[in-house]
């Protein structure tokens, strides 16, 4: 049998992170359809170094490449595409230290033949891109280049949507990586993480699938066993892709699945139907999975959905399999029973998982990805409440009358009919005294004398200045009362609550009181003393004081999304029988804030001006002298409310290179 020629290309990492090309070697005899293999330039390293007055980003490449650069805003970034190149090693994260205006460096394999370098700057800076045969240099005209150098391979994958959506003339579109549904998902076959396996370049033309799998086994140095239903031919052209990614794509196109034995590492390739059939008869095993950061009981519902299920079309739930230990669920006309089970031990924070051996490794990997160290956020709020009140009162009041004839009530009168003589020690009368004060107004209807004139009923409450002047006008006594008051009140309340919480978890802080409020329900009667019925009373509590409730969420670009409730409140007894009146200044808001940035989530200014004038008609409206015949009152109240909030990300949680951050 004549086999097609399969040519493979890989790159071995030499000491010092330099890459040495390993030229493709023929594995079997060549036939029609072979493609020539050419060496692909590789990016060997990235460094940020200080120069005279600015910073340079030096990118090492092994051969001449084609460059394309452009900029992006919010935040300001410089993007350089190195076309016709590939990354040489596992990405390493930038340490996020600002160097000459550069705050972050991200490099990724944007597409199969494009390496993308993204420089995030603190603001817009001029830059120059130069390159020669073995390096690309990006000079950034930022701050003074007085910093320690940073050297390493490329940074994180470029996941920012704005970077991915580059202008059509500036960058090529990244090819979609095919995902693969596996019964077991070992780490080297997971599509979610960038593969670090050796890369392969190969072309197939109507090649037998078993020969293709054998060639991949030889290249990877792994043992791959094919099932009885593995048949078909392969036509594919693979260029500079990790071998596990390429194998997964080929198997997916043939409707095949790959599983790996967690102990021996042997890879088995078979049809989905055969893989599921074998798993239906696998014995169940139980494994303890310790949980570090999450709560074990919170992971039980999620992990339960990942367990294997035995499904049949139609029929009762019992027909799905007698060995099922979980609950039966229906999907359309199918009835499925979960074979395994998941439980938790709160005392040791451990998951107890029962599952088939072939799926246990995938379950453990999922649990480790969920059990990550959650970043913490420190939130500082500031509530400022200022209450300013200005009061100005000025008024003249008059009282005119005699002992028997009067109308106003400011000067107290004594009823003359109740007066008694006052005598000295010898019993000689020396005057009159005692008597009963007259209440109300009294006026004599007889005679031709003036009875009274006044506006004495409008006095200023609690005046700061009181002057009384009395004069005789004929048979009458005219008494003048001058009242004046000026009052300035200033209340300045500043509260600065601070709280620390983990990402996506609500935290609250309160400094105040819980006020009990009793509510009487007349329609609901209860038996009291001596059989009397009384309304049923219920008591509820209302929280007042300084209250802060916040739920933070750290976004992928290191911003903080906040759901905030900030409140300043108090309670006062109501004038009637309704109980309390609650004064409240609060704000509920959702906002996106940069790390360390202060945002205003609420601002309110209320100004209330009240003016009143009362006095003798006509006379009180006279210019200049009108104030002599009335009372004027002016009150101005101004209240300001300002609520500020500042979040700080204390740590980034799990490391970028480790799902568990350990």
């Amino acid at each position: 049998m004549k086999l097609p020629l399969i040519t493979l290309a890989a790159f071995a990492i030499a000491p010092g992170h330099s890459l040495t090309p390993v030229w493709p070697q023929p594995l079997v005899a060549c036939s029609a359809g072979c493609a020539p293999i050419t060496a692909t330039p590789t990016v060997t390293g990235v460094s940020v170094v200080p120069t005279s007055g600015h910073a340079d980003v030096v990118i090492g490449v092994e051969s001449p490449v084609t460059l394309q650069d452009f900029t992006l805003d919010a935040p300001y970034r410089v993007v350089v595409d190195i076309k016709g190149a590939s990354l040489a090693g596992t990405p390493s994260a930038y340490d996020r230290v600002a160097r000459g205006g550069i705050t972050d460096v991200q490099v990724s394999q944007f597409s199969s033949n494009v390496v993308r370098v993204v420089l995030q700057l603190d603001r817009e800076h001029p830059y120059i891109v130069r390159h020669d045969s073995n390096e690309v240099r990006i000079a950034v005209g930022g701050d003074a280049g007085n910093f320690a150098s940073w050297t390493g391979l490329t940074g994180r994958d470029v996941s920012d949507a704005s970077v991915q959506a580059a202008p059509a003339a500036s960058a090529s579109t990244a090819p979609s990586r095919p995902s693969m549904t596996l019964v077991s998902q070992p780490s080297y076959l997971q599509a979610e993480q960038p593969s670090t396996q050796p890369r392969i370049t190969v072309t197939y033309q109507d090649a037998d699938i078993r020969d293709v799998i054998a060639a991949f086994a030889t290249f990877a140095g792994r043992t791959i066993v094919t099932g009885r239903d593995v048949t078909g031919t392969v036509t594919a052209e693979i260029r500079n892709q990790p071998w596990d990614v390429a194998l997964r794509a080929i198997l997916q196109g043939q409707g095949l699945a790959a599983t790996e034995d967690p102990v021996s590492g042997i890879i088995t390739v078979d049809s989905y139907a055969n893989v599921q059939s074998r798993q239906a008869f696998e014995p169940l095993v139980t494994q303890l999975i310790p949980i570090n950061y999450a709560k074990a009981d919170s992971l039980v519902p999620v992990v339960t959905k990942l367990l294997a299920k035995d499904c049949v079309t139609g029929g009762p739930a019992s027909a799905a399999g007698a060995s099922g230990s979980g609950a039966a669920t229906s999907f359309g006309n199918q009835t499925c029973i979960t074979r395994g089970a998941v439980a938790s031990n709160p005392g040791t924070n451990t998951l107890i998982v029962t599952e088939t051996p072939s799926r246990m490794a995938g379950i453990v990997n999922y649990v480790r990805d969920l059990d990550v160290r959650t970043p913490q956020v420190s939130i500082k709020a500031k509530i400022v409440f200022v209450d300013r009140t200005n009061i100005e009162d000025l008024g003249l009041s008059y009282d005119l009358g005699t002992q028997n004839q009067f109308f106003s009530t400011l000067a107290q009168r004594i009823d003359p009919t109740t007066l008694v003589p006052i005598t000295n020690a010898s019993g000689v009368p020396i005057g009159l005294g005692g008597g009963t004060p007259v209440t109300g107004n009294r006026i004599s209807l007889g005679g031709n004398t003036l009875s009274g004139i006044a506006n004495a009923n409008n006095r200023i409450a609690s005046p700061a200045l009181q002057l009384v002047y009395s004069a005789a006008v004929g048979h009458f006594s005219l008494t003048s009362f001058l009242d004046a008051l000026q009052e300035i009140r200033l209340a300045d309340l500043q509260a600065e609550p601070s709280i620390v919480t983990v990402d996506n978890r609500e935290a609250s802080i309160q400094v105040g009181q819980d006020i009990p409020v009793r509510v009487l329900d007349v329609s609901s009667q209860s038996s009291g003393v001596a059989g009397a019925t009384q309304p049923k009373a219920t008591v509820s509590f209302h929280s007042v004081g300084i209250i802060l409730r916040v739920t933070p969420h750290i976004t992928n670009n290191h911003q903080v999304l906040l759901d905030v409730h900030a409140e300043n409140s108090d309670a006062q007894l109501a004038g009637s029988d309704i109980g309390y009146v609650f004064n409240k200044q609060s704000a509920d808001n959702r906002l996106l804030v940069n790390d360390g940035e202060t945002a205003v989530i609420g601002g309110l200014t209320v100004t209330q001006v009240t003016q009143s004038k009362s006095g003798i008609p006509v006379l009180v409206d006279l210019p200049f002298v009108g104030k002599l015949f009335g009372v004027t009152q002016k009150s101005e109240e101004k209240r300001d409310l300002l609520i500020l909030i500042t979040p700080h990300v204390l740590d980034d949680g799990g490391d970028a290179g480790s799902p568990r951050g350990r």
Side-chain angles (χ1 to χ4, degrees):
M1 180 179 62
K2 186 176 181 181
L3 300 177
L5 173 64
I6 302 175
T7 55
L8 307 174
F11 296 97
I13 301 179
H17 299 286
S18 62
L19 300 181
T20 303
V22 180
W23 296 108
Q25 301 294 332
L27 297 181
V28 291
C30 181
S31 64
C34 295
I37 304 300
T38 58
T40 302
T42 57
V43 175
T44 59
V46 177
S47 300
V48 181
V49 298
T51 56
S52 57
H54 63 275
D56 277 3
V57 179
V58 182
I59 306 171
V61 294
E62 289 189 341
S63 59
V65 292
T66 302
L67 302 180
Q68 180 71 45
D69 63 276
F70 57 92
T71 61
L72 297 172
D73 295 325
Y76 187 82
R77 288 157 290 177
V78 176
V79 182
V80 178
D81 284 344
I82 305 175
K83 298 184 177 181
S86 61
L87 292 179
T90 303
S92 58
Y94 187 67
D95 58 2
R96 289 187 175 274
V97 175
R99 293 178 171 88
I102 301 174
T103 59
D104 196 7
V105 179
Q106 305 177 26
V107 184
S108 69
Q109 189 72 45
F110 182 72
S111 64
S112 59
N113 61 347
V114 175
V115 174
R116 173 158 290 184
V117 181
V118 181
L119 307 181
Q120 182 172 323
L121 309 181
D122 56 0
R123 61 183 184 276
E124 183 176 356
H125 294 296
Y127 70 94
I128 300 176
V129 180
R130 303 187 302 270
H131 71 93
D132 53 23
S133 59
N134 59 0
E135 77 173 19
V136 175
R137 186 176 291 267
I138 307 173
V140 178
D143 300 330
N146 185 15
F147 53 84
S149 302
W150 175 82
T151 303
L153 288 179
T154 57
R156 304 184 309 275
D157 287 344
V158 180
S159 57
D160 192 340
S162 62
V163 178
Q164 296 289 354
S170 302
S172 59
T173 304
S176 60
R177 177 174 293 178
S179 60
M180 185 174 182
T181 303
L182 299 174
V183 178
S184 170
Q185 295 194 359
S187 59
Y188 76 96
L189 285 180
Q190 287 183 349
E192 292 80 2
Q193 299 295 334
S195 176
T196 60
Q197 299 298 320
R199 295 177 175 269
I200 182 174
T201 299
V202 63
T203 300
Y204 295 107
Q205 183 68 35
D206 295 330
D208 187 86
I209 182 62
R210 292 178 176 269
D211 297 334
V212 173
I213 295 175
F216 272 91
T218 303
F219 174 78
R222 303 293 298 272
T223 300
I224 304 179
V225 179
T226 57
R228 62 179 180 272
D229 292 339
V230 179
T231 58
T233 59
V234 176
T235 299
E237 183 176 351
I238 300 172
R239 294 184 179 275
N240 195 31
Q241 292 293 331
W243 73 266
D244 55 338
V245 176
L247 178 60
R248 183 172 58 248
I250 292 175
L251 296 180
Q252 183 187 29
Q254 298 294 321
L256 302 174
T259 60
E260 179 184 16
D261 187 278
V263 179
S264 63
I266 297 176
I267 302 173
T268 302
V269 178
D270 210 337
S271 64
Y272 287 103
N274 290 342
V275 172
Q276 293 178 355
S277 177
R278 287 197 308 269
Q279 290 182 346
F281 295 97
E282 278 190 88
L284 298 177
V285 296
T286 301
Q287 182 172 342
L288 302 179
I289 306 177
I291 307 299
N292 284 349
Y293 303 108
K295 289 186 177 180
D297 54 357
S298 66
L299 297 179
V300 171
V302 179
V303 179
T304 301
K305 296 180 180 180
L306 303 176
L307 299 179
K309 297 179 177 63
D310 293 335
C311 300
V312 295
T313 302
S318 59
S323 61
S325 60
T329 56
S330 297
F331 302 93
N333 63 342
Q334 285 192 336
T335 302
C336 301
I337 289 183
T338 303
R339 294 192 62 198
V342 181
S344 64
N345 181 11
T348 59
N349 202 36
T350 303
L351 275 181
I352 307 171
V353 181
T354 301
E355 182 57 292
T356 59
S358 59
R359 292 183 57 86
M360 185 62 73
I363 296 295
V364 172
N365 288 336
Y366 276 119
V367 172
R368 288 178 178 174
D369 291 341
L370 294 174
D371 182 26
V372 296
R373 182 165 59 90
T374 306
Q376 297 186 96
V377 183
S378 173
I379 301 169
K380 296 182 179 179
K382 188 172 184 178
I383 303 175
V384 180
F385 180 67
V386 180
D387 188 351
R388 295 183 291 270
T389 303
N390 295 331
I391 298 176
E392 294 182 2
D393 293 344
L394 179 64
L396 276 170
S397 304
Y398 303 96
D399 187 282
L400 182 65
T402 65
Q403 290 295 331
N404 298 321
Q405 299 177 357
F406 54 89
F407 185 77
S408 301
T409 58
L410 292 182
Q412 189 179 36
R413 265 73 176 192
I414 302 298
D415 190 347
T417 61
T418 61
L419 294 176
V420 295
I422 300 176
T423 60
N424 56 16
S426 301
V428 178
I430 60 175
L432 298 176
T436 303
V438 177
T439 59
N441 301 320
R442 175 178 296 182
I443 184 169
S444 177
L445 298 178
N448 298 321
T449 57
L450 181 65
S451 61
I453 180 173
N455 63 329
N457 291 331
N458 283 326
R459 294 291 304 276
I460 296 176
S462 302
L465 175 65
Q466 289 181 302
L467 295 178
V468 180
Y469 176 78
S470 181
V473 180
H475 296 286
F476 294 87
S477 176
L478 176 64
T479 305
S480 301
F481 298 86
L482 173 64
D483 297 330
L485 172 66
Q486 182 174 3
E487 181 179 359
I488 299 177
R489 292 197 300 261
L490 175 62
D492 187 357
L493 172 64
Q494 296 189 16
E496 298 186 16
S498 177
I499 197 168
V500 178
T501 182
V502 297
D503 191 21
N504 297 318
R505 184 63 59 89
E506 181 183 282
S508 63
I509 185 173
Q510 175 183 349
V511 180
Q513 296 175 324
D514 287 339
I515 304 297
V517 178
R518 186 175 62 176
V519 178
L520 298 178
D521 188 1
V522 180
S523 62
S524 177
Q525 303 290 333
S526 60
S527 298
V529 180
T533 59
Q534 297 177 350
K536 185 177 180 180
T538 59
V539 178
S540 60
F541 290 88
H542 293 261
S543 299
V544 297
I546 306 298
I547 302 174
L548 174 65
R549 289 195 299 270
V550 60
T551 303
H553 169 65
I554 302 175
T555 62
N556 293 331
N557 58 349
H558 218 62
Q559 291 181 306
V560 183
L561 182 65
L562 298 172
D563 289 325
V564 183
H565 170 79
E567 177 182 324
N568 172 43
S569 58
D570 58 26
Q572 295 178 352
L573 285 173
S576 59
D577 60 348
I578 62 175
Y580 291 93
V581 174
F582 294 93
N583 302 318
K584 180 186 296 185
Q585 301 88 36
S586 65
D588 291 272
N589 199 1
R590 170 177 288 187
L591 66 162
L592 187 64
V593 186
N594 293 328
D595 182 16
E597 183 181 56
T598 299
V600 180
I601 67 172
L604 176 65
T605 299
V606 178
T607 302
Q608 181 178 357
V609 179
T610 303
Q611 291 182 342
S612 64
K613 180 172 64 173
S614 61
I616 302 175
V618 181
L619 298 180
V620 74
D621 295 325
L622 294 177
F624 303 109
V625 298
K627 294 184 178 181
L628 300 177
F629 303 97
V631 177
T632 59
Q633 295 178 328
K634 180 180 180 181
S635 175
E636 181 178 353
E637 184 177 0
K638 188 174 183 180
R639 290 171 293 178
D640 297 323
L641 174 65
L642 186 64
I643 303 177
L644 311 174
I645 192 165
T646 305
H648 291 278
V649 179
L650 300 183
D651 58 73
D652 293 331
D655 298 334
S658 173
R660 295 172 64 88
R662 300 169 185 163

